[in-house]
């Protein structure tokens, strides 16, 4: 009788583990499909380009007042940085990251539904317009913050004055 119970428990455990492995494999497959459908590689490329553009502007600003020799050193540093960034954010690494994140956030069924949506005409339209939506959102957010910056600076100045007066900083 003991042997039969142990045998049944072992079979149950193996069946449960197999089901869990199948579920994980199904989730991973659904996530990989979702990454492909959502043009994950293009999203990665746009992200790297945005970081490149931002860093390029910072390098240009930093190099503006440098001597020719210092600019040469800055160019070598810039190349080293961009090479490192491309390697660090390679498509293979980012695809794995996207798949991991999607499998953490969505169930297999949800990813299958998303895959269906992004294959539909409306889903394709959403993906096509997503870069413009993100760019417009970032631009408008930046404009909104810039409009409110004088108010923030005034509040910050008042706070610094209060702290300075209270603690007599600098005296």
């Amino acid at each position: 009788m003991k042997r039969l119970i142990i045998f049944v428990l072992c079979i149950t455990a193996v069946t449960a583990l197999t089901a869990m492995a199948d579920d994980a494999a199904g989730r991973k497959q659904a996530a990989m499909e979702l990454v492909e459908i959502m043009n994950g590689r293009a999203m990665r490329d746009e992200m790297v380009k945005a970081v490149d553009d931002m860093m390029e502007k910072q390098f240009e600003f930093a190099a503006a007042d440098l001597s020719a020799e210092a600019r040469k050193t800055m160019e070598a540093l810039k190349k080293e940085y961009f090479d490192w960034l491309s390697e660090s954010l390679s498509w293979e690494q980012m695809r794995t990251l996207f798949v991991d994140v999607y499998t953490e956030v969505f169930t297999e069924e949800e990813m299958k539904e998303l895959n269906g949506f992004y294959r539909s005409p409306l889903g394709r339209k959403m993906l096509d317009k997503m870069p413009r939506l993100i760019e417009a959102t970032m631009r408008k957010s930046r404009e909104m913050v810039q409009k409110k910056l004088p108010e923030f600076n005034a509040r910050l100045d008042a706070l610094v004055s209060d702290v300075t007066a209270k603690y007599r900083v600098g005296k």
Side-chain angles (χ1 to χ4, degrees):
M1 182 68 170
K2 249 184 178 178
R3 283 183 155 174
L4 180 60
I5 292 172
I6 291 171
F7 178 74
V8 170
L9 288 174
C10 287
I11 294 297
T12 304
V14 168
T15 303
L17 289 172
T18 302
M20 287 171 55
D22 287 348
D23 182 52
R27 284 181 79 171
K28 185 172 184 175
Q29 182 59 38
M32 288 172 67
E33 288 177 30
L34 185 57
V35 168
E36 294 304 319
I37 291 168
M38 292 182 67
N39 301 322
R41 177 169 257 179
M43 288 188 328
R44 176 259 178 209
D45 292 346
E46 288 177 31
M47 182 178 68
V48 170
K49 184 181 179 330
V51 172
D52 280 353
D53 291 347
M54 181 181 70
M55 292 306 296
E56 181 68 35
K57 287 177 184 169
Q58 289 188 358
F59 277 116
E60 286 174 12
F61 179 75
D65 296 328
L66 297 178
S67 67
E69 185 177 331
R71 273 200 198 110
K72 217 183 231 185
T73 302
M74 183 70 85
E75 285 299 318
L77 175 65
K78 183 170 77 173
K79 181 186 180 328
E80 184 69 28
Y81 171 76
F82 287 129
D83 289 349
W84 170 82
L85 184 67
S86 292
E87 182 182 314
S88 297
L89 300 178
S90 71
W91 169 237
E92 293 75 25
Q93 291 175 333
M94 292 304 295
R95 179 177 49 213
T96 299
L97 182 141
F98 287 147
V99 168
D100 289 348
V101 169
Y102 289 153
T103 57
E104 286 176 20
V105 173
F106 297 109
T107 65
E108 182 178 351
E109 188 58 39
E110 290 169 332
M111 285 185 281
K112 286 179 178 179
E113 288 180 35
L114 286 167
N115 288 337
F117 170 72
Y118 286 121
R119 284 187 179 110
S120 73
L122 180 60
R124 298 301 319 158
K125 190 176 206 175
M126 178 73 174
L127 289 172
D128 290 343
K129 293 188 177 205
M130 188 62 70
R132 288 189 4 219
L133 287 168
I134 291 169
E135 188 277 328
T137 300
M138 290 175 64
R139 179 178 32 82
K140 289 180 180 267
S141 297
R142 189 173 45 247
E143 290 169 0
M144 186 172 61
V145 168
Q146 286 175 343
K147 283 180 186 174
K148 295 182 177 205
L149 204 52
E151 175 192 337
F152 172 74
N153 285 334
R155 291 170 69 182
L156 186 61
D157 288 344
L159 180 61
V160 168
S161 293
D162 288 349
V163 168
T164 302
K166 185 174 182 178
Y167 296 104
R168 298 181 196 268
V169 175
K171 290 188 180 186

